[in-house]
Amino acid sequence: MPHTHTHRILVVDDESAIRDVLSTVLTAEGYTISTATDLPEALRLITEDVFDIVITDLKLPKGNGIEVLRQIKRLNLDTLGIVITGYGSIESAIEALRTGAYDYITKPFHADEIKILVRKALEYKKLHKENIYLRRQIQSAYRIENIIGSSPGMQELFQLIETVADSDSTILIFGESGTGKELVARAIHYGGVRRNHPLIPVNCGAIPEDLLESELFGHVKGAFTGAVMTRVGRFHLADGGTIFLDEIGDMSPKLQVKLLRVLQEQEFDPVGSTETIKINVRVIAATNTDLDQSVAEKRFREDLYYRLNVIPLHIPSLRERREDIPLLIQHFVEKFNRLKHRKITGFSPDAIELLQEYPWPGNVRELENLVERMAILKSIGKVTVRDLPQKFSVQQADTIPTAQFFPEDGIDFNSVVDDFEKRLILHALNKARGVKSRAARLLRVKRTTLVEKIRKKRIGA
């Protein structure tokens, strides 16, 4: 049956009978065929034209079919090679496969054999393309642009991510819980040379200590009670790629020794095995604890700490980058509008201001959860102060410096008083769920006075 998209195939053989048979059979299948009789002509054609498949004899005048495959590889072409070989020279066919041939066929062959082989090769090519496309989609999901922030601390972090992505150095990410350490690890992995290999995350704090060793390094059948089958460890799975060890500070001293060996030698022994496995893995570790203190208290090995801390990356907490909160809110609003089919138009200025005052112990994750909750509950329109959960309004309005913490260079009296007044009004409005007369009663001022202050201080609803 003729194909709607014409696939182009190059047939390379010095025997005219084989060229004719292949041309006739494959043209009838709807493919466009070109032919070459020797190596120089084949090399010239694959450089000048684009082919989906090259079918080449192994023995060619002025060279051999392996050279054709090598040229395809050298030019990084999206072309599959099929090799024709004489009966009995299977060794050369294996060499062809090692050089990157998709498959081989032995002479004499039947017309149906070649038809099926070409069809399978094209199907493989299509799946391979889809795979690459999906992989790129995954990679784009973790691009640096997905780590939101315009504050100086975040800009510095972005530059560091780009700088270290292509190196193979071990990286230690410092950051409080919820700051996005895994997101940073993914940005580093997908931005570097290992992007087409696996990224394997392991949360060392979430896996019980007795299971973590087998999780990381695997075990052989019967290594311990319950080991009913051999298990491949995460380090083995990450071969060629990256392993991300989150909450590294929770690792037991015994495992720290084993990890040190992996970092130094790039090898390990699965639990219960005498076989040493060699790997090529980049390690990115992360911690939300003070490892310096753990080292001082002898809970974390000093030599491992220095091995891990080759390139330290610090992710600022949300408190350290409050100016990013409006950007993050906008990003999450768009995300949850899309995922939850909502029509939130954003957060009001005074709601944002209130959120910028909050200490955010759970960092970006806590903010994301809040926006998701608001999207579900509010569903449409603008999120205002009265929509926010109670805890955001019961914050310390006390930003007035005490004698003990009074700045050396003094303060701007008017702006501190103005700021304090503004916060009090915001808290009262929040407590009164936006009802101005009730807020005025809470503040023990006239409603008209409050309305005037709200207008002057541009406190939006």
Side-chain angles (χ1 to χ4, degrees), residues 68 80 102 108 114 198 226 237 308 367 392 407 453 455:
V68 179
L80 290 182
Y102 168 72
I114 200 79
L237 291 174
L308 288 170
L367 177 61
F392 291 99
K453 282 185 182 292
R455 190 186 63 76

Side-chain angles (χ1 to χ4, degrees), residues 27-265:
T27 304
E29 285 287 290
Y31 306 120
T32 301
I33 308 300
S34 301
T35 60
T37 58
D38 60 20
L39 179 65
E41 193 182 358
L43 296 181
R44 181 178 60 77
L45 283 171
I46 61 173
T47 313
E48 290 172 4
D49 214 336
V50 178
F51 295 100
D52 293 287
I53 293 175
V54 172
I55 302 173
T56 177
D57 196 357
L58 261 186
K59 292 188 173 67
L60 291 175
K62 303 174 189 168
N64 65 42
I66 299 282
E67 256 317 301
V68 179
L69 299 175
R70 285 205 184 109
Q71 182 71 347
I72 288 170
K73 216 172 194 175
R74 262 198 299 272
L75 296 171
N76 204 11
L77 300 175
D78 188 19
T79 305
L80 290 182
I82 293 175
V83 170
I84 303 168
T85 175
Y87 180 73
S89 55
I90 298 299
E91 291 81 7
S92 41
I94 289 166
E95 191 194 343
L97 292 176
R98 284 206 187 107
T99 317
Y102 168 72
D103 211 337
Y104 67 90
I105 191 163
T106 52
K107 287 190 269 191
F109 52 81
H110 197 272
D112 282 344
E113 275 183 87
I114 200 79
K115 280 191 221 172
I116 291 164
L117 190 52
V118 166
R119 216 172 288 154
K120 272 168 68 182
L122 290 169
E123 186 58 35
Y124 167 83
K125 199 161 178 276
K126 182 170 170 272
L127 285 171
H128 185 61
K129 261 189 177 159
E130 283 170 8
N131 211 348
I132 287 172
Y133 170 72
L134 287 171
R135 215 171 228 162
R136 281 187 189 141
Q137 292 286 90
I138 291 166
Q139 285 165 19
S140 70
Y142 296 106
R143 283 193 314 247
I144 293 184
E145 296 93 284
N146 277 48
I147 305 169
I148 309 295
S150 60
S151 57
M154 290 307 283
Q155 290 306 310
E156 198 180 311
L157 179 68
F158 293 155
Q159 279 178 326
L160 261 171
I161 289 171
E162 285 191 6
T163 308
V164 303
D166 267 336
S167 82
D168 250 351
S169 300
T170 304
I171 288 170
L172 186 54
I173 302 170
F174 295 90
E176 291 178 10
S177 189
T179 48
K181 295 188 287 293
E182 187 169 339
L183 215 52
V184 169
R186 286 183 181 277
I188 293 166
H189 172 77
Y190 287 114
V193 290
R194 293 175 179 261
R195 66 176 72 90
N196 290 323
H197 295 281
L199 167 68
I200 306 290
V202 185
N203 186 330
C204 303
I207 301 166
E209 190 187 315
D210 53 337
L211 294 180
L212 187 58
E213 184 177 9
S214 137
E215 193 68 39
L216 289 173
F217 306 110
H219 62 251
V220 295
K221 185 178 176 181
F224 50 85
T225 311
V228 290
M229 56 193 283
T230 296
R231 180 183 184 143
V232 176
R234 302 281 185 99
F235 266 100
H236 204 165
L237 291 174
D239 194 18
T242 306
I243 193 163
F244 172 56
L245 303 172
D246 200 2
E247 294 186 38
I248 193 82
D250 295 344
M251 194 176 269
S252 70
K254 177 190 168 193
L255 281 187
Q256 288 176 34
V257 175
K258 224 167 169 179
L259 177 58
L260 187 62
R261 181 187 167 200
V262 178
L263 289 169
Q264 284 170 340
E265 315 291 339

